[in-house]
Amino acid sequence: MRKTAYILPAVVVVLVLFLSSIFVVDEREKALVLQFGQIRAVKEEPGLAFKIPFIQEVVYYDDRILSLDTDTIEVTPSDDRRLVVDAFARYRIADVVQFRQAVGVGGLRTAEDRLSGILNAQIREVLGADQVTSDVILSADRRQFSNRIRDAARVSARSLGLDVVDVRLKQTNLPSQNLEATFARMRAEREREAADEIARGNEAAQRVRALADRTVVETRSAAQRDADVTRGEADAERNGIFAEAFGSDPEFFAFYRSLQAYETALTGDNSRMVMTPDSEFFEYFKNQGAQVVVPESAAPEAPESEDAAAAEPEAPAPAAAAPAAPSPDAPSPDAPDTEVPASGAPAPEAPVSE
């Protein structure tokens, strides 16, 4: 019984000591074995490891890629337009020994604070450099600035045992107090561009309209010219036909034109004319020896029977014409009787302008 009483506590003590000397390293972690604050061993491979119980302790650090969101800061590019920049970084613990020596017992919180200061300093330095304007930062080419910030921060973060994997500018905006002025300036620029486009469009439309009007005038002028040429040729051909038709008998042509003049002058109720007795308009009435030769085709046909003659209505008697003034060439009452020209004698031709 006495042996059992001593053996059982000894087994318990040995079991406790054995369990206290064993620790497990996860594949997502790295471990440091510390003895009185001093680094005694580094365990980076996953599996079981041993330490001296109650004298050594194990500190674990995450071996995965970690994320850090920096605080929003204001930067001033070379064009003196302030920008609000919000960035984030991806990093991992590359050297746990150096990391422990750099941050001590503060761990990841202290390391992230110091890394955030490094990133903010590099952001101000890169975005505030010469030849870097706000328009370039706000454009799609700002990826190059992220790479420059990452490379500069990676060099500075090595002293902390950290490896900066990537840095991105998450948000780049103007300060709230400058937004309204910036939007007004952008609206003015867009309106100016729109006015320029409208002016160029109106100029092009005016050129097209002027060209169309000129084409219309040229087309109408050419058509009018062709029409005048065609009309002149037709008139010339008509006059030629008239000249050829009436050139064989000029006297008959003059008589025919006189009849046309009488027909035109004495139309409708217009049966009176006032003119001097020696007017050439009634030249054929003065010719006492003129005789009217009526073609056989123009003579009226005799009625075939008395019934047909009776069926024709009687023509009304012509109205009495006004007495004409005595002509100096007319015979006196005491002169012997002379032959009076027939009422159907042709009249002279009125002057007609060709």
Side-chain angles (χ1 to χ4, degrees):
M1 294 292 295
R2 290 181 179 179
K3 291 181 179 181
T4 305
Y6 289 108
I7 292 174
L8 185 57
V11 172
V12 173
V13 170
V14 171
L15 183 60
V16 171
L17 293 175
F18 178 76
L19 294 178
S20 299
S21 63
I22 298 175
F23 64 93
V24 179
V25 179
D26 192 84
E27 64 271 8
R28 296 168 296 178
E29 296 177 334
K30 292 180 180 180
L32 287 180
V33 179
L34 304 179
Q35 183 176 344
F36 304 111
Q38 301 295 323
I39 299 174
R40 294 301 180 185
V42 179
K43 302 297 182 181
E44 296 182 352
E45 297 297 330
L48 293 176
F50 297 92
K51 66 174 183 172
I52 299 175
F54 305 111
I55 297 177
Q56 296 178 344
E57 61 176 344
V58 180
V59 181
Y60 298 97
Y61 294 102
D62 203 330
D63 193 31
R64 295 173 295 180
I65 295 177
L66 304 177
S67 176
L68 172 63
D69 289 333
T70 62
D71 297 332
T72 302
I73 61 174
E74 289 188 3
V75 297
T76 304
S78 60
D79 56 354
D80 296 333
R81 293 174 60 187
R82 292 187 303 168
L83 296 177
V84 178
V85 179
D86 186 10
F88 70 93
R90 295 288 186 266
Y91 71 98
R92 61 188 296 271
I93 301 174
D95 189 348
V96 291
V97 176
Q98 189 174 2
F99 179 79
R100 178 68 184 188
Q101 293 174 352
V103 301
V105 296
L108 285 177
R109 182 178 296 275
T110 303
E112 289 183 351
D113 291 340
R114 297 178 63 177
L115 181 60
S116 179
I118 293 173
L119 291 174
N120 291 338
Q122 296 302 325
I123 289 173
R124 286 192 174 93
E125 180 179 355
V126 172
L127 299 184
D130 295 338
Q131 308 300 327
V132 178
T133 62
S134 57
D135 294 335
V136 178
I137 297 174
L138 296 174
S139 66
D141 297 335
R142 62 180 181 177
R143 176 61 182 169
Q144 57 178 336
F145 302 116
S146 299
N147 295 335
R148 291 168 57 183
I149 295 171
R150 180 199 62 194
D151 297 338
R154 180 178 294 171
V155 175
S156 301
R158 287 176 183 173
S159 60
L160 300 177
L162 301 177
D163 179 25
V164 179
V165 178
D166 192 15
V167 176
R168 295 293 179 91
L169 300 177
K170 181 168 59 177
Q171 189 175 8
T172 305
N173 290 327
L174 296 170
S176 58
Q177 59 270 22
N178 296 342
L179 285 177
E180 189 62 31
T182 303
F183 290 156
R185 184 169 62 253
M186 293 172 64
R187 274 195 298 269
E189 292 177 357
R190 301 291 87 76
E191 290 176 357
R192 179 180 58 80
E193 293 178 0
D196 293 342
E197 292 295 334
I198 292 174
R200 284 193 291 269
N202 291 335
E203 181 182 1
Q206 189 173 2
R207 286 199 303 269
V208 173
R209 195 177 297 112
L211 180 60
D213 294 341
R214 187 182 69 179
T215 304
V216 170
V217 172
E218 291 177 352
T219 304
R220 288 181 176 177
S221 300
Q224 184 66 30
R225 181 195 61 197
D226 296 341
D228 292 341
V229 170
T230 304
R231 191 177 297 108
E233 293 176 353
D235 291 341
E237 185 176 357
R238 182 195 62 181
N239 294 335
I241 294 174
F242 271 110
E244 183 180 358
F246 297 104
S248 58
D249 192 353
E251 183 178 359
F252 176 77
F253 176 72
F255 174 71
Y256 177 73
R257 295 301 297 271
S258 298
L259 291 181
Q260 288 183 338
Y262 298 155
E263 182 180 2
T264 303
L266 303 174
T267 57
D269 297 333
N270 184 16
S271 60
R272 296 183 181 182
M273 298 185 67
V274 178
M275 59 183 62
T276 60
D278 57 349
S279 174
E280 296 181 356
F281 187 69
F282 294 102
E283 180 179 2
Y284 284 94
F285 287 97
K286 298 177 184 179
N287 190 358
Q288 299 178 359
Q291 295 181 359
V292 178
V293 180
V294 179
E296 296 181 358
S297 59
E301 297 179 1
E304 297 179 357
S305 61
E306 296 181 358
D307 297 338
E312 293 182 357
E314 181 180 359
S327 175
D329 298 334
S332 62
D334 299 335
D337 295 339
T338 58
E339 183 179 359
V340 180
S343 59
E349 177 186 4
V352 178
S353 58
E354 292 293 339

